Amino acid sequence: MASLETQETEATPAKEDQMDLGAKETGYPGPPRQRSWLGCHCSLLLRRDQQAQKAGQLFSGLLALNVVFLGGAFIGSMIFNNVSITLGDVWILLAALKTLSLLWLLYYMVGTTRQPHAVLHRDPHAGPVWVRGSLVLFGSCTICLNVFRIGYDVSHSHCKSQLELVFPAIEIIFMGFQTWVLWKHCKDCVQIQTNLTRCGLMLTLATNLLLWVLAVTNDSMHHEIEAELSAIMEKFSGNGTNTCLCLNATACEVFQKGYLMLYPFSTEYCLICCAVLFVMWKNVGRHLVAHVGTHPNSPPFRLHGAIFGPLLGLLALVAGVCIFVLFQIEASGPNIARQYFTLYYAFYVAVLPVMSLACLAGMAIHGLEERELDTLKNPTRSLDVVLLMGAALGQMGIAYFSIVAIVATHPNELLNQLILAYSLLLILQHITQNLFIIEGLHRRPLWEVAPQGLAGKPEAEHSRRGSLLELGQDLRRASLAYIHSYSHLNWKRRVLKEISLFLILCNITLWMMPAFGIHPEFENGLEKEFYGYRTWFTIVNFGLPLGVFYRMHSVGGLVEVYLGA
């Protein structure tokens, strides 16, 4: 009996091998293999976890969608029927949303993150230094904007309701606490209370999105400042007026100029917060493998012999700063002379073609390189691509509206021809730069390339080696073969570094000019007369913050391309 059992047990693997061999030879699948109970149970739990994650994402996304639609209905009703729905009603709704988001952020800090095993992983790609720095910079500017708003309202307290001071105060508290939470926890991958965390993040994201929509469409403060300036002129001319005038003219002028200068930063801040909150929402419940997505040996940011790119970029930066200062000095007066508009747009017409050519040269070098594509799933990189493409629509939209206005009115004047050339070149530069950055982000960095000397070895050969000395010799030979195989790409990498540095400095210049100064798109008067004040105000306030965000986001992407080269 023992010999029969032994023969049966020895025959079982042989039968399985014959069945597999027969299946390979005939091409038909063999009988299904039975899985163990533990494997079936683990796969079932994994499927249930994935279904729960998708359900939580769907529910929180629907929550944000409904909140955005509700707020959008309020803001749209205020614009088209400001008798039934006033700006005060919109402020009350946003104050309630900010209070709820503030309570959730406080609970997240005090309750969720302090529990054991709450944050087991942190996404290394989320929240880079430039994003967190921009968050703090624009958040501080937004807080200063609300301080100027409170000062302006206090100076008009004799003819304004004291209740209007509450809304900027709530926004200051909300912006300050939200900036601190996002700075500290933007890399978190929360593993507990996932549904509550997703809903809280989507509620906060919807609140920031509604604040951005209100900032884009609400021009009541600008109308109020213009009405007060015209009332002051009428008062000096001897005519009576019913407009609410400021008690202290000097303080009011400071508050007005500060508010108008810092107004675009509030829209920038809301956009950055939406991006960071979306990455945190995608990372809820995410499990990261220790070696995936990290760059333990990534090189620091150094010039590495790059000369021509930084020199040309510094030349563009110095010229841009000089033109920016001249334009700001002229803009401080009552009217801006046309030659300053000509100088401003001529600078753009000179810089944008060079940037487009640099991007085309970079794409050509990418095509010549023999580097693998990084196909690993990376939600941060996917969001970077979406934000890059979406933010480019802002300046491109303004450019298309300007093209239509110029062609339909006075296309033969020198300034209008410069604006037309500027608009066309701006569209071309956005397209080429997006292609260059996106292709560079999807290239695997050189420190991540698998050495071919080791990748091509069969496993049987590795199993026969038991000596550490032989393994060290193999690694040394693979490193030498790797250096030899990539030595012919040195000039290509050097050119990529030159191009990346030049584009970084140019994008910093083009970020600085609209971010901190008066906007020629609104001040030249051509499009404002063609489309009307309210329409062009909405177009510019929608497009310019996206344009500033695009330049800042492009700098971060170009730094990644530079380090990857």
Side-chain angles (χ1 to χ4, degrees):
M1 292 294 293
S3 62
L4 287 174
E5 289 179 359
T6 306
Q7 290 176 4
E8 288 179 0
T9 54
E10 290 178 353
T12 302
K15 289 180 181 179
E16 291 180 356
D17 293 340
Q18 289 176 3
M19 291 167 63
D20 292 341
L21 184 60
K24 289 180 182 179
E25 291 177 353
T26 58
Y28 292 101
R33 294 188 176 182
Q34 293 184 354
R35 299 170 62 183
S36 65
W37 175 86
L38 183 60
C40 294
H41 186 66
C42 290
S43 63
L44 180 62
L45 289 178
L46 185 61
R47 283 199 302 271
R48 287 180 179 176
D49 182 63
Q50 291 175 350
Q51 290 173 357
Q53 275 194 342
K54 291 179 180 179
Q57 289 178 351
L58 179 62
F59 180 77
S60 58
L62 289 173
L63 173 65
L65 196 63
N66 281 277
V67 172
V68 170
F69 279 153
L70 176 63
F74 264 76
I75 295 173
S77 302
M78 178 201 69
I79 294 172
F80 298 110
N81 186 9
N82 57 1
V83 177
S84 301
I85 302 294
T86 62
L87 182 61
D89 299 328
V90 178
W91 279 347
I92 291 173
L93 174 65
L94 289 176
L97 291 175
K98 283 182 277 192
T99 304
L100 290 174
S101 301
L102 196 60
L103 290 174
W104 176 80
L105 289 171
L106 184 62
Y107 174 77
Y108 180 78
M109 285 289 297
V110 176
T112 304
T113 58
R114 294 191 178 184
Q115 293 188 18
H117 310 295
V119 182
L120 298 177
H121 312 282
R122 290 177 66 84
D123 187 0
H125 295 280
V129 176
W130 66 271
V131 170
R132 290 187 290 168
S134 304
L135 198 69
V136 173
L137 173 64
F138 293 139
S140 304
C141 293
T142 306
I143 291 174
C144 293
L145 170 73
N146 285 280
V147 170
F148 284 130
R149 178 63 189 261
I150 291 175
Y152 184 83
D153 290 340
V154 167
S155 61
H156 293 77
S157 58
H158 61 285
C159 53
K160 279 193 171 186
S161 173
Q162 299 291 333
L163 190 62
E164 293 186 12
L165 300 176
V166 176
F167 302 113
I170 293 175
E171 188 160 344
I172 288 174
I173 299 172
F174 172 71
M175 297 288 184
F177 192 71
Q178 178 180 247
T179 304
W180 181 54
V181 173
L182 295 184
W183 170 274
K184 194 172 181 182
H185 296 280
C186 60
K187 295 178 178 289
D188 288 358
C189 298
V190 181
Q191 306 297 327
I192 63 170
Q193 300 178 357
T194 54
N195 290 330
L196 178 63
T197 304
R198 287 191 184 98
C199 292
L201 287 169
M202 280 289 108
L203 176 64
T204 313
L205 189 149
T207 304
N208 282 277
L209 194 60
L210 288 175
L211 288 173
W212 174 73
V213 173
L214 181 64
V216 166
T217 57
N218 180 31
D219 58 348
S220 60
M221 187 68 175
H222 297 75
H223 274 305
E224 188 175 334
I225 291 173
E226 288 187 358
E228 184 172 357
L229 291 175
S230 60
I232 291 173
M233 297 300 294
E234 290 180 3
K235 185 178 180 180
F236 278 120
S237 63
N239 299 325
T241 178
N242 295 325
T243 307
C244 178
L245 297 179
C246 182
L247 297 176
N248 190 341
T250 305
C252 272
E253 185 178 1
V254 173
F255 294 144
Q256 289 171 1
K257 288 188 175 180
Y259 182 88
L260 293 176
M261 182 174 290
L262 295 176
Y263 191 78
F265 290 102
S266 63
T267 54
E268 286 296 317
Y269 175 77
C270 294
L271 288 175
I272 295 175
C273 286
C274 288
V276 175
L277 288 165
F278 181 78
V279 173
M280 291 179 65
W281 178 76
K282 291 288 287 183
N283 283 332
V284 172
R286 185 182 175 202
H287 299 276
L288 295 177
V289 184
H291 66 278
V292 173
T294 59
H295 305 318
N297 299 319
S298 59
F301 189 88
R302 295 174 183 171
L303 293 180
H304 290 296
I307 299 174
F308 298 104
L311 284 178
L312 290 175
L314 285 174
L315 181 64
L317 180 62
V318 171
V321 168
C322 293
I323 293 172
F324 171 75
V325 172
L326 287 174
F327 196 84
Q328 287 300 109
I329 293 173
E330 180 68 15
S332 61
N335 294 313
I336 304 175
R338 291 181 69 85
Q339 61 263 26
Y340 288 96
F341 286 109
T342 304
L343 184 64
Y344 188 93
Y345 285 109
F347 170 75
Y348 273 88
V349 171
V351 171
L352 290 175
V354 183
M355 295 177 66
S356 300
L357 290 175
C359 293
L360 290 174
M363 286 190 290
I365 293 175
H366 276 155
L368 294 175
E369 273 193 315
E370 301 174 359
R371 205 190 302 181
E372 296 180 6
L373 293 177
D374 190 0
T375 57
L376 292 176
K377 187 178 179 181
N378 188 343
T380 307
R381 184 178 58 199
S382 302
L383 180 64
D384 285 340
V385 173
V386 172
L387 290 178
L388 203 65
M389 299 294 291
L393 299 178
Q395 284 278 15
M396 291 174 68
I398 293 177
Y400 279 116
F401 278 105
S402 298
I403 290 170
V404 172
I406 292 168
V407 172
T409 53
H410 307 289
N412 296 324
E413 295 183 5
L414 175 61
L415 179 59
N416 293 344
Q417 289 178 352
L418 280 175
I419 298 175
L420 181 62
Y422 156 76
S423 302
L424 293 172
L425 291 171
L426 188 70
I427 294 170
L428 177 64
Q429 194 272 327
H430 277 69
I431 293 172
T432 54
Q433 183 168 276
N434 281 350
L435 293 174
F436 173 68
I437 294 176
I438 291 171
E439 192 170 358
L441 289 177
H442 284 84
R443 296 273 173 169
R444 187 182 295 275
L446 290 176
W447 61 83
E448 284 191 354
V449 178
Q452 296 179 0
L454 289 178
K457 298 283 186 181
E459 293 182 1
E461 187 177 351
H462 283 288
S463 63
R464 287 195 296 266
R465 292 195 175 98
S467 173
L468 292 177
L469 180 61
E470 291 181 0
L471 183 59
Q473 291 175 355
D474 287 342
L475 287 172
R476 193 177 300 110
R477 282 196 296 269
S479 301
L480 291 175
Y482 170 70
I483 293 171
H484 176 72
S485 62
Y486 280 91
S487 61
H488 66 284
L489 296 179
N490 280 339
W491 70 271
K492 299 175 187 176
R493 296 203 298 269
R494 191 177 298 114
V495 174
L496 278 179
K497 288 177 180 293
E498 300 275 6
I499 291 173
S500 300
L501 285 173
F502 170 71
L503 291 174
I504 286 171
L505 291 171
C506 287
N507 278 278
I508 289 174
T509 306
L510 301 184
W511 168 79
M512 172 196 66
M513 297 176 74
F516 296 98
I518 302 299
H519 307 126
E521 293 87 353
F522 197 76
E523 298 295 331
N524 61 33
L526 173 67
E527 298 92 343
K528 187 163 57 174
E529 293 176 2
F530 185 81
Y531 293 106
Y533 179 86
R534 185 73 178 259
T535 305
W536 187 241
F537 176 86
T538 304
I539 293 171
V540 170
N541 274 344
F542 175 80
L544 274 182
L546 284 176
V548 174
F549 181 78
Y550 172 79
R551 294 298 174 189
M552 180 184 61
H553 201 70
S554 297
V555 170
L558 288 166
V559 169
E560 294 292 331
V561 174
Y562 175 83
L563 293 176

